[in-house]
mmCIF file of all heavy atoms in Angstrom:
data_model
loop_
_atom_site.group_PDB
_atom_site.id
_atom_site.type_symbol
_atom_site.label_atom_id
_atom_site.label_comp_id
_atom_site.label_asym_id
_atom_site.label_seq_id
_atom_site.Cartn_x
_atom_site.Cartn_y
_atom_site.Cartn_z
ATOM 1 N N MET A 1 0.843 -1.197 0.000
ATOM 2 C CA MET A 1 0.000 0.000 0.000
ATOM 3 C C MET A 1 0.871 1.237 0.000
ATOM 4 O O MET A 1 0.567 2.237 0.613
ATOM 5 C CB MET A 1 -0.914 -0.003 1.226
ATOM 6 C CG MET A 1 -1.819 -1.224 1.290
ATOM 7 S SD MET A 1 -2.970 -1.312 -0.063
ATOM 8 C CE MET A 1 -4.162 -0.051 0.447
ATOM 9 N N SER A 2 2.023 1.207 -0.624
ATOM 10 C CA SER A 2 2.916 2.350 -0.605
ATOM 11 C C SER A 2 2.705 3.249 -1.812
ATOM 12 O O SER A 2 3.198 4.354 -1.849
ATOM 13 C CB SER A 2 4.372 1.888 -0.573
ATOM 14 O OG SER A 2 4.683 1.124 -1.724
ATOM 15 N N GLU A 3 1.951 2.763 -2.797
ATOM 16 C CA GLU A 3 1.759 3.568 -3.999
ATOM 17 C C GLU A 3 0.642 4.575 -3.799
ATOM 18 O O GLU A 3 -0.465 4.194 -3.420
ATOM 19 C CB GLU A 3 1.412 2.657 -5.181
ATOM 20 C CG GLU A 3 1.380 3.415 -6.505
ATOM 21 C CD GLU A 3 1.286 2.447 -7.682
ATOM 22 O OE1 GLU A 3 1.420 1.243 -7.485
ATOM 23 O OE2 GLU A 3 1.049 2.917 -8.781
ATOM 24 N N PRO A 4 0.917 5.843 -3.995
ATOM 25 C CA PRO A 4 -0.099 6.871 -3.792
ATOM 26 C C PRO A 4 -1.209 6.782 -4.821
ATOM 27 O O PRO A 4 -0.990 6.386 -5.963
ATOM 28 C CB PRO A 4 0.683 8.179 -3.947
ATOM 29 C CG PRO A 4 1.859 7.818 -4.804
ATOM 30 C CD PRO A 4 2.186 6.402 -4.453
ATOM 31 N N ILE A 5 -2.377 7.135 -4.389
ATOM 32 C CA ILE A 5 -3.536 7.123 -5.280
ATOM 33 C C ILE A 5 -3.907 8.552 -5.623
ATOM 34 O O ILE A 5 -3.936 9.409 -4.765
ATOM 35 C CB ILE A 5 -4.722 6.419 -4.602
ATOM 36 C CG1 ILE A 5 -4.335 4.981 -4.253
ATOM 37 C CG2 ILE A 5 -5.947 6.438 -5.516
ATOM 38 C CD1 ILE A 5 -5.414 4.237 -3.486
ATOM 39 N N ASN A 6 -4.158 8.797 -6.877
ATOM 40 C CA ASN A 6 -4.518 10.138 -7.313
ATOM 41 C C ASN A 6 -5.958 10.460 -6.929
ATOM 42 O O ASN A 6 -6.785 9.556 -6.791
ATOM 43 C CB ASN A 6 -4.360 10.250 -8.827
ATOM 44 C CG ASN A 6 -2.911 10.073 -9.246
ATOM 45 O OD1 ASN A 6 -2.009 10.623 -8.629
ATOM 46 N ND2 ASN A 6 -2.697 9.292 -10.281
ATOM 47 N N PRO A 7 -6.267 11.759 -6.781
ATOM 48 C CA PRO A 7 -7.609 12.177 -6.380
ATOM 49 C C PRO A 7 -8.699 11.628 -7.298
ATOM 50 O O PRO A 7 -9.817 11.374 -6.872
ATOM 51 C CB PRO A 7 -7.547 13.700 -6.463
ATOM 52 C CG PRO A 7 -6.115 14.031 -6.249
ATOM 53 C CD PRO A 7 -5.344 12.887 -6.899
ATOM 54 N N GLY A 8 -8.373 11.452 -8.569
ATOM 55 C CA GLY A 8 -9.375 10.988 -9.519
ATOM 56 C C GLY A 8 -9.577 9.493 -9.514
ATOM 57 O O GLY A 8 -10.499 8.989 -10.138
ATOM 58 N N ASP A 9 -8.703 8.811 -8.823
ATOM 59 C CA ASP A 9 -8.816 7.362 -8.796
ATOM 60 C C ASP A 9 -9.957 6.923 -7.896
ATOM 61 O O ASP A 9 -10.097 7.392 -6.774
ATOM 62 C CB ASP A 9 -7.518 6.735 -8.292
ATOM 63 C CG ASP A 9 -6.380 6.908 -9.280
ATOM 64 O OD1 ASP A 9 -6.673 7.113 -10.473
ATOM 65 O OD2 ASP A 9 -5.233 6.843 -8.855
ATOM 66 N N GLU A 10 -10.739 6.013 -8.393
ATOM 67 C CA GLU A 10 -11.830 5.484 -7.589
ATOM 68 C C GLU A 10 -11.430 4.172 -6.929
ATOM 69 O O GLU A 10 -12.115 3.672 -6.054
ATOM 70 C CB GLU A 10 -13.067 5.272 -8.473
ATOM 71 C CG GLU A 10 -13.618 6.597 -9.002
ATOM 72 C CD GLU A 10 -14.891 6.380 -9.793
ATOM 73 O OE1 GLU A 10 -15.227 5.232 -10.071
ATOM 74 O OE2 GLU A 10 -15.537 7.393 -10.130
ATOM 75 N N ALA A 11 -10.358 3.599 -7.409
ATOM 76 C CA ALA A 11 -9.907 2.343 -6.839
ATOM 77 C C ALA A 11 -8.394 2.257 -6.980
ATOM 78 O O ALA A 11 -7.801 2.890 -7.841
ATOM 79 C CB ALA A 11 -10.569 1.168 -7.547
ATOM 80 N N ALA A 12 -7.769 1.484 -6.138
ATOM 81 C CA ALA A 12 -6.328 1.315 -6.223
ATOM 82 C C ALA A 12 -5.986 0.459 -7.435
ATOM 83 O O ALA A 12 -6.767 -0.418 -7.826
ATOM 84 C CB ALA A 12 -5.814 0.648 -4.950
ATOM 85 N N PRO A 13 -4.827 0.731 -8.039
ATOM 86 C CA PRO A 13 -4.407 -0.073 -9.188
ATOM 87 C C PRO A 13 -4.379 -1.560 -8.858
ATOM 88 O O PRO A 13 -3.863 -1.961 -7.833
ATOM 89 C CB PRO A 13 -2.987 0.451 -9.465
ATOM 90 C CG PRO A 13 -2.967 1.838 -8.922
ATOM 91 C CD PRO A 13 -3.887 1.797 -7.731
ATOM 92 N N GLY A 14 -4.932 -2.345 -9.732
ATOM 93 C CA GLY A 14 -4.946 -3.784 -9.514
ATOM 94 C C GLY A 14 -6.153 -4.272 -8.758
ATOM 95 O O GLY A 14 -6.318 -5.469 -8.558
ATOM 96 N N THR A 15 -7.008 -3.348 -8.348
ATOM 97 C CA THR A 15 -8.200 -3.751 -7.614
ATOM 98 C C THR A 15 -9.173 -4.490 -8.534
ATOM 99 O O THR A 15 -9.502 -3.986 -9.602
ATOM 100 C CB THR A 15 -8.918 -2.529 -7.026
ATOM 101 O OG1 THR A 15 -8.034 -1.829 -6.162
ATOM 102 C CG2 THR A 15 -10.172 -2.936 -6.261
ATOM 103 N N PRO A 16 -9.587 -5.675 -8.141
ATOM 104 C CA PRO A 16 -10.570 -6.418 -8.951
ATOM 105 C C PRO A 16 -11.843 -5.613 -9.148
ATOM 106 O O PRO A 16 -12.365 -5.011 -8.223
ATOM 107 C CB PRO A 16 -10.867 -7.664 -8.084
ATOM 108 C CG PRO A 16 -9.655 -7.827 -7.225
ATOM 109 C CD PRO A 16 -9.149 -6.428 -6.964
ATOM 110 N N GLY A 17 -12.314 -5.585 -10.375
ATOM 111 C CA GLY A 17 -13.527 -4.850 -10.663
ATOM 112 C C GLY A 17 -13.272 -3.408 -11.028
ATOM 113 O O GLY A 17 -14.203 -2.647 -11.241
ATOM 114 N N SER A 18 -12.000 -3.032 -11.148
ATOM 115 C CA SER A 18 -11.690 -1.670 -11.551
ATOM 116 C C SER A 18 -10.876 -1.690 -12.835
ATOM 117 O O SER A 18 -10.335 -2.710 -13.228
ATOM 118 C CB SER A 18 -10.909 -0.936 -10.459
ATOM 119 O OG SER A 18 -9.593 -1.444 -10.350
ATOM 120 N N GLY A 19 -10.804 -0.550 -13.481
ATOM 121 C CA GLY A 19 -10.042 -0.479 -14.708
ATOM 122 C C GLY A 19 -9.641 0.946 -15.009
ATOM 123 O O GLY A 19 -10.153 1.880 -14.416
ATOM 124 N N GLU A 20 -8.710 1.081 -15.927
ATOM 125 C CA GLU A 20 -8.278 2.418 -16.292
ATOM 126 C C GLU A 20 -9.309 3.089 -17.185
ATOM 127 O O GLU A 20 -9.967 2.455 -17.991
ATOM 128 C CB GLU A 20 -6.938 2.359 -17.032
ATOM 129 C CG GLU A 20 -5.761 2.073 -16.123
ATOM 130 C CD GLU A 20 -4.442 2.255 -16.865
ATOM 131 O OE1 GLU A 20 -4.470 2.383 -18.102
ATOM 132 O OE2 GLU A 20 -3.398 2.274 -16.193
ATOM 133 N N ASP A 21 -9.420 4.402 -17.013
ATOM 134 C CA ASP A 21 -10.287 5.177 -17.881
ATOM 135 C C ASP A 21 -9.651 6.546 -18.103
ATOM 136 O O ASP A 21 -8.829 6.989 -17.327
ATOM 137 C CB ASP A 21 -11.666 5.334 -17.230
ATOM 138 C CG ASP A 21 -12.709 5.730 -18.263
ATOM 139 O OD1 ASP A 21 -12.363 5.849 -19.456
ATOM 140 O OD2 ASP A 21 -13.866 5.941 -17.871
ATOM 141 N N VAL A 22 -10.013 7.166 -19.191
ATOM 142 C CA VAL A 22 -9.466 8.487 -19.489
ATOM 143 C C VAL A 22 -9.914 9.474 -18.424
ATOM 144 O O VAL A 22 -11.074 9.518 -18.042
ATOM 145 C CB VAL A 22 -9.935 8.960 -20.873
ATOM 146 C CG1 VAL A 22 -9.458 10.393 -21.146
ATOM 147 C CG2 VAL A 22 -9.404 8.035 -21.954
ATOM 148 N N CYS A 23 -8.987 10.262 -17.961
ATOM 149 C CA CYS A 23 -9.288 11.242 -16.929
ATOM 150 C C CYS A 23 -10.270 12.284 -17.460
ATOM 151 O O CYS A 23 -10.015 12.907 -18.493
ATOM 152 C CB CYS A 23 -7.994 11.917 -16.478
ATOM 153 S SG CYS A 23 -8.253 13.231 -15.281
ATOM 154 N N PRO A 24 -11.392 12.463 -16.772
ATOM 155 C CA PRO A 24 -12.407 13.409 -17.236
ATOM 156 C C PRO A 24 -11.992 14.858 -17.051
ATOM 157 O O PRO A 24 -12.580 15.750 -17.667
ATOM 158 C CB PRO A 24 -13.625 13.064 -16.371
ATOM 159 C CG PRO A 24 -13.055 12.487 -15.124
ATOM 160 C CD PRO A 24 -11.797 11.757 -15.556
ATOM 161 N N ALA A 25 -11.002 15.090 -16.228
ATOM 162 C CA ALA A 25 -10.592 16.466 -15.943
ATOM 163 C C ALA A 25 -9.674 17.015 -17.032
ATOM 164 O O ALA A 25 -9.741 18.186 -17.381
ATOM 165 C CB ALA A 25 -9.913 16.528 -14.587
ATOM 166 N N CYS A 26 -8.814 16.155 -17.587
ATOM 167 C CA CYS A 26 -7.841 16.614 -18.580
ATOM 168 C C CYS A 26 -8.018 15.871 -19.903
ATOM 169 O O CYS A 26 -7.297 16.121 -20.853
ATOM 170 C CB CYS A 26 -6.428 16.412 -18.062
ATOM 171 S SG CYS A 26 -5.997 14.677 -17.813
ATOM 172 N N HIS A 27 -8.980 14.990 -19.939
ATOM 173 C CA HIS A 27 -9.298 14.248 -21.161
ATOM 174 C C HIS A 27 -8.099 13.456 -21.679
ATOM 175 O O HIS A 27 -7.903 13.324 -22.884
ATOM 176 C CB HIS A 27 -9.834 15.194 -22.237
ATOM 177 C CG HIS A 27 -10.996 16.042 -21.769
ATOM 178 N ND1 HIS A 27 -12.266 15.537 -21.586
ATOM 179 C CD2 HIS A 27 -11.063 17.346 -21.407
ATOM 180 C CE1 HIS A 27 -13.067 16.503 -21.154
ATOM 181 N NE2 HIS A 27 -12.358 17.610 -21.032
ATOM 182 N N GLY A 28 -7.313 12.947 -20.763
ATOM 183 C CA GLY A 28 -6.235 12.058 -21.149
ATOM 184 C C GLY A 28 -4.935 12.754 -21.512
ATOM 185 O O GLY A 28 -3.970 12.095 -21.868
ATOM 186 N N THR A 29 -4.921 14.070 -21.417
ATOM 187 C CA THR A 29 -3.708 14.784 -21.789
ATOM 188 C C THR A 29 -2.724 14.864 -20.628
ATOM 189 O O THR A 29 -1.535 15.027 -20.840
ATOM 190 C CB THR A 29 -4.036 16.208 -22.253
ATOM 191 O OG1 THR A 29 -4.595 16.940 -21.176
ATOM 192 C CG2 THR A 29 -5.010 16.177 -23.419
ATOM 193 N N GLY A 30 -3.252 14.769 -19.427
ATOM 194 C CA GLY A 30 -2.399 14.889 -18.255
ATOM 195 C C GLY A 30 -2.138 16.330 -17.859
ATOM 196 O O GLY A 30 -1.476 16.603 -16.867
ATOM 197 N N LYS A 31 -2.655 17.253 -18.686
ATOM 198 C CA LYS A 31 -2.483 18.669 -18.368
ATOM 199 C C LYS A 31 -3.814 19.397 -18.507
ATOM 200 O O LYS A 31 -4.647 19.034 -19.331
ATOM 201 C CB LYS A 31 -1.442 19.308 -19.288
ATOM 202 C CG LYS A 31 -0.041 18.781 -19.027
ATOM 203 C CD LYS A 31 0.983 19.574 -19.821
ATOM 204 C CE LYS A 31 2.401 19.087 -19.496
ATOM 205 N NZ LYS A 31 3.439 19.897 -20.171
ATOM 206 N N LEU A 32 -3.941 20.432 -17.728
ATOM 207 C CA LEU A 32 -5.149 21.233 -17.797
ATOM 208 C C LEU A 32 -5.001 22.325 -18.841
ATOM 209 O O LEU A 32 -3.925 22.536 -19.407
ATOM 210 C CB LEU A 32 -5.445 21.847 -16.429
ATOM 211 C CG LEU A 32 -5.631 20.804 -15.310
ATOM 212 C CD1 LEU A 32 -5.876 21.503 -13.978
ATOM 213 C CD2 LEU A 32 -6.784 19.857 -15.627
ATOM 214 N N GLU A 33 -6.083 23.021 -19.088
ATOM 215 C CA GLU A 33 -6.085 24.039 -20.143
ATOM 216 C C GLU A 33 -5.084 25.152 -19.874
ATOM 217 O O GLU A 33 -4.604 25.802 -20.798
ATOM 218 C CB GLU A 33 -7.494 24.631 -20.281
ATOM 219 C CG GLU A 33 -8.490 23.599 -20.807
ATOM 220 C CD GLU A 33 -9.867 24.215 -20.978
ATOM 221 O OE1 GLU A 33 -10.031 25.414 -20.685
ATOM 222 O OE2 GLU A 33 -10.783 23.495 -21.400
ATOM 223 N N ASP A 34 -4.786 25.382 -18.610
ATOM 224 C CA ASP A 34 -3.835 26.446 -18.273
ATOM 225 C C ASP A 34 -2.388 25.946 -18.319
ATOM 226 O O ASP A 34 -1.462 26.678 -17.995
ATOM 227 C CB ASP A 34 -4.161 27.048 -16.914
ATOM 228 C CG ASP A 34 -4.100 26.010 -15.795
ATOM 229 O OD1 ASP A 34 -3.720 24.866 -16.077
ATOM 230 O OD2 ASP A 34 -4.438 26.346 -14.657
ATOM 231 N N GLY A 35 -2.211 24.703 -18.726
ATOM 232 C CA GLY A 35 -0.871 24.164 -18.881
ATOM 233 C C GLY A 35 -0.319 23.506 -17.632
ATOM 234 O O GLY A 35 0.745 22.913 -17.664
ATOM 235 N N LYS A 36 -1.084 23.573 -16.544
ATOM 236 C CA LYS A 36 -0.636 22.956 -15.312
ATOM 237 C C LYS A 36 -0.893 21.453 -15.346
ATOM 238 O O LYS A 36 -1.808 20.982 -16.025
ATOM 239 C CB LYS A 36 -1.363 23.577 -14.119
ATOM 240 C CG LYS A 36 -0.984 25.033 -13.883
ATOM 241 C CD LYS A 36 -1.725 25.575 -12.665
ATOM 242 C CE LYS A 36 -1.355 27.043 -12.432
ATOM 243 N NZ LYS A 36 -2.095 27.610 -11.287
ATOM 244 N N SER A 37 -0.090 20.730 -14.615
ATOM 245 C CA SER A 37 -0.268 19.294 -14.535
ATOM 246 C C SER A 37 -1.588 18.971 -13.848
ATOM 247 O O SER A 37 -1.951 19.569 -12.853
ATOM 248 C CB SER A 37 0.889 18.666 -13.753
ATOM 249 O OG SER A 37 0.746 17.269 -13.691
ATOM 250 N N CYS A 38 -2.314 18.035 -14.418
ATOM 251 C CA CYS A 38 -3.618 17.660 -13.878
ATOM 252 C C CYS A 38 -3.446 16.945 -12.544
ATOM 253 O O CYS A 38 -2.738 15.955 -12.454
ATOM 254 C CB CYS A 38 -4.353 16.770 -14.869
ATOM 255 S SG CYS A 38 -5.967 16.231 -14.269
ATOM 256 N N GLN A 39 -4.103 17.466 -11.534
ATOM 257 C CA GLN A 39 -3.996 16.868 -10.208
ATOM 258 C C GLN A 39 -4.983 15.727 -10.024
ATOM 259 O O GLN A 39 -4.839 14.901 -9.135
ATOM 260 C CB GLN A 39 -4.244 17.930 -9.134
ATOM 261 C CG GLN A 39 -3.200 19.041 -9.141
ATOM 262 C CD GLN A 39 -1.792 18.513 -8.901
ATOM 263 O OE1 GLN A 39 -1.539 17.842 -7.911
ATOM 264 N NE2 GLN A 39 -0.879 18.784 -9.827
ATOM 265 N N ASN A 40 -5.976 15.694 -10.881
ATOM 266 C CA ASN A 40 -7.000 14.658 -10.741
ATOM 267 C C ASN A 40 -6.434 13.277 -11.029
ATOM 268 O O ASN A 40 -6.810 12.291 -10.412
ATOM 269 C CB ASN A 40 -8.163 14.968 -11.680
ATOM 270 C CG ASN A 40 -9.360 14.087 -11.401
ATOM 271 O OD1 ASN A 40 -9.821 14.005 -10.267
ATOM 272 N ND2 ASN A 40 -9.866 13.415 -12.415
ATOM 273 N N CYS A 41 -5.526 13.234 -12.004
ATOM 274 C CA CYS A 41 -4.943 11.951 -12.393
ATOM 275 C C CYS A 41 -3.442 11.925 -12.110
ATOM 276 O O CYS A 41 -2.767 10.955 -12.428
ATOM 277 C CB CYS A 41 -5.197 11.704 -13.875
ATOM 278 S SG CYS A 41 -4.459 12.957 -14.945
ATOM 279 N N GLY A 42 -2.931 12.998 -11.555
ATOM 280 C CA GLY A 42 -1.515 13.068 -11.272
ATOM 281 C C GLY A 42 -0.677 13.263 -12.511
ATOM 282 O O GLY A 42 0.516 13.005 -12.512
ATOM 283 N N GLY A 43 -1.285 13.705 -13.588
ATOM 284 C CA GLY A 43 -0.563 13.959 -14.824
ATOM 285 C C GLY A 43 -0.422 12.738 -15.707
ATOM 286 O O GLY A 43 0.222 12.788 -16.741
ATOM 287 N N SER A 44 -1.040 11.642 -15.309
ATOM 288 C CA SER A 44 -0.927 10.408 -16.093
ATOM 289 C C SER A 44 -1.943 10.376 -17.238
ATOM 290 O O SER A 44 -1.769 9.651 -18.207
ATOM 291 C CB SER A 44 -1.124 9.191 -15.191
ATOM 292 O OG SER A 44 -2.426 9.166 -14.652
ATOM 293 N N GLY A 45 -3.010 11.141 -17.099
ATOM 294 C CA GLY A 45 -4.029 11.165 -18.136
ATOM 295 C C GLY A 45 -5.075 10.081 -17.982
ATOM 296 O O GLY A 45 -6.068 10.063 -18.704
ATOM 297 N N VAL A 46 -4.824 9.165 -17.088
ATOM 298 C CA VAL A 46 -5.794 8.096 -16.865
ATOM 299 C C VAL A 46 -6.067 7.949 -15.373
ATOM 300 O O VAL A 46 -5.234 8.275 -14.536
ATOM 301 C CB VAL A 46 -5.315 6.746 -17.432
ATOM 302 C CG1 VAL A 46 -5.223 6.788 -18.944
ATOM 303 C CG2 VAL A 46 -3.985 6.349 -16.828
ATOM 304 N N ILE A 47 -7.237 7.458 -15.052
ATOM 305 C CA ILE A 47 -7.591 7.218 -13.662
ATOM 306 C C ILE A 47 -8.012 5.758 -13.500
ATOM 307 O O ILE A 47 -8.355 5.084 -14.475
ATOM 308 C CB ILE A 47 -8.747 8.128 -13.203
ATOM 309 C CG1 ILE A 47 -9.964 7.903 -14.079
ATOM 310 C CG2 ILE A 47 -8.310 9.586 -13.209
ATOM 311 C CD1 ILE A 47 -11.231 8.562 -13.561
ATOM 312 N N GLN A 48 -7.988 5.298 -12.290
ATOM 313 C CA GLN A 48 -8.494 3.971 -11.987
ATOM 314 C C GLN A 48 -9.957 4.109 -11.609
ATOM 315 O O GLN A 48 -10.298 4.713 -10.609
ATOM 316 C CB GLN A 48 -7.704 3.328 -10.843
ATOM 317 C CG GLN A 48 -6.264 3.002 -11.213
ATOM 318 C CD GLN A 48 -6.169 1.856 -12.203
ATOM 319 O OE1 GLN A 48 -6.998 0.971 -12.213
ATOM 320 N NE2 GLN A 48 -5.159 1.887 -13.052
ATOM 321 N N GLU A 49 -10.803 3.566 -12.441
ATOM 322 C CA GLU A 49 -12.225 3.724 -12.226
ATOM 323 C C GLU A 49 -12.861 2.413 -11.795
ATOM 324 O O GLU A 49 -12.591 1.365 -12.365
ATOM 325 C CB GLU A 49 -12.883 4.218 -13.517
ATOM 326 C CG GLU A 49 -14.347 4.552 -13.332
ATOM 327 C CD GLU A 49 -14.919 5.163 -14.587
ATOM 328 O OE1 GLU A 49 -14.849 4.532 -15.652
ATOM 329 O OE2 GLU A 49 -15.425 6.285 -14.508
ATOM 330 N N GLY A 50 -13.714 2.506 -10.814
ATOM 331 C CA GLY A 50 -14.429 1.328 -10.361
ATOM 332 C C GLY A 50 -15.478 0.926 -11.371
ATOM 333 O O GLY A 50 -16.127 1.772 -11.967
ATOM 334 N N ILE A 51 -15.616 -0.363 -11.578
ATOM 335 C CA ILE A 51 -16.609 -0.854 -12.523
ATOM 336 C C ILE A 51 -17.692 -1.630 -11.765
ATOM 337 O O ILE A 51 -17.398 -2.458 -10.919
ATOM 338 C CB ILE A 51 -15.954 -1.776 -13.569
ATOM 339 C CG1 ILE A 51 -14.902 -0.986 -14.353
ATOM 340 C CG2 ILE A 51 -17.001 -2.355 -14.514
ATOM 341 C CD1 ILE A 51 -14.131 -1.841 -15.332
ATOM 342 N N GLY A 52 -18.920 -1.322 -12.096
ATOM 343 C CA GLY A 52 -20.013 -2.058 -11.477
ATOM 344 C C GLY A 52 -20.569 -1.361 -10.253
ATOM 345 O O GLY A 52 -21.670 -1.638 -9.813
ATOM 346 N N GLY A 53 -19.792 -0.430 -9.736
ATOM 347 C CA GLY A 53 -20.253 0.303 -8.569
ATOM 348 C C GLY A 53 -20.422 -0.575 -7.367
ATOM 349 O O GLY A 53 -19.991 -1.711 -7.309
ATOM 350 N N GLY A 54 -21.045 -0.022 -6.374
ATOM 351 C CA GLY A 54 -21.205 -0.831 -5.184
ATOM 352 C C GLY A 54 -21.709 0.054 -4.135
ATOM 353 O O GLY A 54 -21.685 0.270 -3.075
HETATM 354 ZN ZN1 ZN B 101 -6.223 14.313 -15.555
#
């Protein structure tokens, strides 16, 4: 559990029932319109999204 989770992540990487999805805040670019690094996904452009909900 040493890997940090980004604010946009709904689940930790590798969590069963979750998967990667394009970050809705930066649309996969990893940067915001003002050129700053996207904090929602940590600049990766993708988030870990829970599937199926719960
Ligand atoms: Zn983002």
Side-chain angles (χ1 to χ4, degrees):
M1 301 296 284
S2 61
E3 188 170 351
I5 300 176
N6 296 316
D9 291 338
E10 294 184 351
T15 301
S18 71
E20 286 189 349
D21 198 1
V22 175
C23 176
C26 64
H27 307 286
T29 64
K31 292 188 177 184
L32 301 178
E33 293 182 0
D34 60 5
K36 293 181 180 178
S37 181
C38 179
Q39 296 300 305
N40 191 53
C41 61
S44 64
V46 294
I47 58 170
Q48 292 290 329
E49 186 174 57
I51 299 176

